Each structure stands twice: as structure tokens, then as C-alpha cells.
Amino acid sequence: MIPLRMRRLRRTAATRALVREHHVRADALVQPLFVAERAQDCGPVASMPGIARLSLAATVDEARALHALGIGAVLLFGIPAHKDAQAASVADPEGIVQRAIRALKTELPELTVMADLCACEYTDHGQCGLLDARGDVDNDRTVDLLVRTALTYARAGVDVVAPSDMMDGRVGAIRAALDAEGFTQVAILAYSAKYASAFYGPFREAAGSSGPAIDRRTHQMDPPNLREAMREIALDVAEGADAVMIKPGLAYLDVVRAARERFDLPIAVYNVSGEYAMLHAAFERGWLERDRSIDETLTAFVRAGADIVITYFAKDWAQRHDR
Ligand code: PBG
């Protein structure tokens, strides 16, 4: 028998490129951006080296640079001047995210603008919505608030709304409200399988949404569950989601793969703040090779079956690779 020699196609860089099965692409990457309403809230996020809370003007500049690098989209998070128990500023037509959407769609009409839709950055208690008498997030009142907020994003010109709250029924309610106002072209990227994860820690510093004892386990998913994720995705598809998301990424690649095998709509994965912080902590200590570790991480998402990768590494990756 002629021996099979697997190493033949690994000999040169060109041959390896020829047989490469998966590719990360800048136009499939999404860079999250934190836009702060007040100057005093702008500045670096300590646990996320290279990431900062930006002013509105700096957000537009950064988006312009990302667009020039060929990045697929930006995902906006707001740091409002005012927080209260009712998250009053989330649905303000003059709120920071609404203003950022308008500025970006005016200055960079070709750039896809996504907006995260959740109340957690707007509540003084840091929870994802309005609380009931027991202190739990009140599902249906929160859905009403999200629907009103989604409409303000749509009126500002957003391309994609991304509800990250994990309330039941929100995708259908948002879709119906958008359509009723004529925003049939605004897409919904649903955070469908969002787990109650320890890996969101640095984000909560970035977004200033870390209340004393925030427990999101009554609405976000329990980490050991895979079949439940398929049910969540199926529900959001039935309610009209245009694309679905799995979050976090690295510890949930099996969920991405299972979703890929089951569903034909676009699948996004969120390479979250803790995954970013974890790698940077190792880079700072000289324990991991920086560029290769980042590239290998992003490749894993694509290989697992994700179409869209939301990552704080998007700009870094695009700066280091030719289009
Ligand atoms: C909620 C939201 C969170 C993240 C994205 N949207 C925080 C949470 O659910 O606690 C986490 C993103 C990250 O960790 O990078 N608005």
C-alpha cells in the first residue's frame, strides 16, 4: 500500500493556503463600540486594554477607521449621563445611542450600524429591565420598554437592532412594532442563546452596569444547557429574527456548531469581554504569542460555523491582514 503522507500539503506557506478550509474575513467581523454621553465617562477600560469609552465625535472617527479597514459593522453600546430605576434614558430620542446612530448614518451611510438593545446600561440597579415587587426583571413591562426603544433606534436610522435582554417574546413584539411603523427593512439580530456567564465581567466595567449583586440567572440561560439553546433559537426564528447569536463564544463553540447544523439563517457569535481580557492578561505577562493567539481564536469561531463574529479584536485583526 502506498503510504499516505499528510505532510505533503503542509510543506510551504502557499500549499497550506491552497488547502485552507476556513478564513476569517474583515467584512464578517463586528466591532463593539462604547459611546459615552458625558466627557467624564470617556477613557480607557482598565480590564480591556485597547478599548475605550468614546465621545460621540470619537465614535464617528473610530467608525470611519473601521469602515476603511473593511470591518463589516459596528455594534453600539451607550453609556448615558442619567440612570434611574425606570431606565428612562434608554428610549429617549435624543439619547446617546440614538444620536450616535444618526451621526454614523449621516457620515458613513455605507457602514452597517447595529445597536445593542437592553436596559442594563440605563438602570441605576444595573438589571436588564424594570423590576417587579420581588426584585426580579418584569418580562412584559421590559418588553414594552424595549419595543419603544427599538422604534427610537429605527427612527434614527439603525440598520440592525440586537436585543440582548433575554426577555421572552421580545423579538416578535419588536418585529411587529417596527413593521407597524413602516420599518420593514430594519433587521433583528437576536441574542438568542445568551448564557448567564462569568465572562461578561469586564463589559460591566466598560458599561458601568455592575450593581452590587447582579444576578441574571432568571433570564439568561444556564451554561450547561445545549438543547435549550436550540429551543431559544427556534423561538426567535419563529418570531421573525433575521439572524441569531450565541454568546459567549469560546466556552460555547459546541452551541455554535449545533446551531449551524440545525438552522440556515445567519449565525453570529459574540467573543465577549472576558475572553478578550483573558488573552490580554496573558499577553501582558508574555505568556502567549499575541497575534497568533488572536488569529487562532477568531478562526475557531468561523470553523465552528459562525457567519458573523462580534469581537473586540476586530480592528486589530483587520489592521494586520490585507483585504
Ligand atoms: C447587555 C449586554 C451584555 C453584554 C452585551 N450586551 C452584558 C450582560 O448581559 O451582562 C456583554 C458583552 C461582553 O461581555 O463583551 N446589554
Side-chain angles (χ1 to χ4, degrees):
M1 198 186 76
I2 298 166
L4 188 55
R5 290 189 181 267
M6 297 302 286
R7 292 179 56 187
R8 274 197 286 262
L9 297 181
R10 293 179 200 144
R11 268 181 54 237
T12 68
T15 325
R16 288 193 295 274
L18 205 58
V19 299
R20 190 156 295 142
E21 298 177 34
H22 298 283
H23 297 89
V24 175
R25 299 182 345 258
D27 60 9
L29 300 180
V30 177
Q31 177 80 44
L33 294 177
F34 299 104
V35 51
E37 190 159 18
R38 298 183 302 188
Q40 72 252 43
D41 293 327
C42 296
V45 181
S47 51
M48 299 176 73
I51 301 296
R53 289 177 292 250
L54 304 173
S55 67
L56 182 50
T59 299
V60 174
D61 289 345
E62 182 65 5
R64 186 174 288 115
L66 294 166
H67 189 46
L69 285 165
I71 297 287
V74 296
L75 173 62
L76 297 177
F77 292 93
I79 319 294
H82 175 77
K83 298 183 188 231
D84 58 35
Q86 310 304 320
S89 57
V90 71
D92 180 354
E94 293 305 317
I96 186 61
V97 167
Q98 290 83 349
R99 278 157 51 205
I101 294 166
R102 275 200 295 273
L104 289 172
K105 292 311 293 184
T106 306
E107 301 286 323
L108 303 161
E110 313 269 89
L111 175 70
T112 298
V113 175
M114 304 180 164
D116 182 88
L117 181 59
C118 187
C120 72
E121 297 107 72
Y122 301 84
T123 52
D124 53 8
H125 45 70
Q127 264 297 12
C128 303
L130 306 173
L131 302 183
D132 63 19
R134 289 173 18 253
D136 195 10
V137 182
D138 183 325
N139 194 89
D140 297 5
R141 280 168 57 229
T142 299
V143 169
D144 284 344
L145 178 63
L146 294 169
V147 164
R148 284 194 283 119
T149 306
L151 287 170
T152 66
Y153 291 173
R155 291 178 200 127
V158 81
D159 296 297
V160 181
V161 291
S164 64
D165 52 288
M166 289 297 278
M167 295 302 113
D168 288 320
R170 90 277 208 216
V171 171
I174 293 165
R175 184 72 271 158
L178 289 173
D179 290 354
E181 276 215 25
F183 296 114
T184 54
Q185 298 305 309
V186 173
I188 299 177
L189 165 59
Y191 284 71
S192 299
K194 176 172 177 178
Y195 289 87
S197 170
F199 290 97
Y200 308 148
F203 172 93
R204 292 181 189 163
E205 182 206 327
S209 58
S210 49
I214 297 289
D215 185 349
R216 307 213 203 281
R217 282 175 292 191
T218 68
H219 53 285
Q220 298 179 350
M221 281 187 55
D222 199 20
N225 294 358
L226 172 67
R227 294 191 308 267
E228 187 185 346
M230 301 302 110
R231 296 182 67 207
E232 283 281 8
I233 293 171
L235 257 176
D236 286 349
V237 171
E239 290 179 31
D242 298 285
V244 294
M245 193 197 300
I246 286 115
K247 178 183 170 202
L250 286 178
Y252 297 87
L253 289 173
D254 58 321
V255 184
V256 176
R257 169 51 48 193
R260 174 73 297 150
E261 279 163 15
R262 201 114 141 202
F263 299 98
D264 290 327
L265 81 175
I267 293 173
V269 65
Y270 200 140
N271 176 211
V272 300
S273 58
E275 301 168 14
Y276 181 85
M278 187 159 82
L279 283 180
H280 271 282
F283 301 155
E284 280 174 13
R285 287 164 179 74
W287 287 352
L288 284 177
E289 216 180 302
R290 187 183 189 285
D291 296 355
R292 286 183 59 203
S293 303
I294 295 169
D295 293 0
E296 196 174 324
T297 298
L298 300 193
T299 301
F301 298 124
V302 174
R303 195 184 58 238
D307 301 292
I308 303 167
V309 180
I310 302 168
T311 176
Y312 302 97
F313 291 118
K315 185 183 191 185
D316 178 276
W317 189 93
Q319 283 172 327
R320 291 187 292 101
H321 294 82
D322 294 335
R323 276 216 259 165

